[in-house]
Amino acid sequence: MIKIEIPNPDIVITKSRQVGEKVEAPLSSVYGFTDYNKIPRDKGGIILFFNANDDLLFVGKARKLRPRVKRHFEDTVSPIKAYRDEVYKIAVLVVEEPMEREIYETYIINTLHAKYNIDKVFYK
């Protein structure tokens, strides 16, 4: 039997303000997230989206993390496009190896029961 341990997140960003509220600094805010600069631009890894109750909503993987996280909030074809307002916290795991990313993504989806991942679900 293979034992897989989910690594701890390298970066966690949370929604700092509600959309539409005044902020003291003129930072770009997409759905309330302003700390995108903490996410590595040219590293690959796993992205975990959580709601305010710490329930896992969606798991994704990317070759370049920061652009992919931003695209989830801008694309019209993103799997979480209807649930963007529900996202409260984003956790990022840096995983450089593509095969490891695939394994971790599938394992996390099925172990933590991601709510909006429907294509890689093995539990019912």
Side-chain angles (χ1 to χ4, degrees):
M1 172 149 228
I2 299 172
K3 297 222 181 245
I4 301 172
E5 289 187 29
I6 301 171
N8 290 326
D10 296 302
I11 298 106
V12 176
I13 61 173
T14 56
K15 190 178 281 193
S16 56
R17 302 237 185 251
Q18 292 299 316
V19 178
E21 284 186 19
K22 292 183 179 178
V23 292
E24 33 314 308
L27 291 173
S28 169
S29 171
V30 180
Y31 286 89
F33 294 96
T34 56
D35 296 334
Y36 288 117
N37 60 333
K38 293 181 180 179
I39 301 172
R41 182 185 310 267
D42 294 328
K43 300 238 184 225
I46 306 292
I47 309 156
L48 306 157
F49 295 93
F50 294 92
N51 66 10
N53 298 329
D54 248 6
D55 299 325
L56 184 60
L57 300 176
F58 185 78
V59 180
K61 64 183 181 305
R63 286 181 292 148
K64 295 185 178 187
L65 286 165
R66 190 185 311 171
R68 187 65 190 122
V69 171
K70 284 186 171 184
R71 252 184 278 131
H72 272 296
F73 291 101
E74 297 166 354
D75 272 358
T76 58
V77 295
S78 172
I80 64 165
K81 70 179 176 191
Y83 315 107
R84 291 174 179 153
D85 292 328
E86 201 175 335
V87 176
Y88 178 76
K89 179 173 80 173
I90 302 170
V92 175
L93 312 167
V94 176
V95 181
E96 285 294 326
E97 202 55 43
M99 184 59 76
E100 288 180 27
R101 282 196 299 263
E102 187 71 41
I103 292 168
Y104 278 132
E105 180 193 32
T106 305
Y107 183 76
I108 292 168
I109 289 168
N110 289 286
T111 305
L112 302 180
H113 302 288
K115 191 173 181 180
Y116 300 124
N117 284 93
I118 53 172
D119 55 342
K120 293 187 177 185
V121 173
F122 298 121
Y123 66 89
K124 289 284 180 185

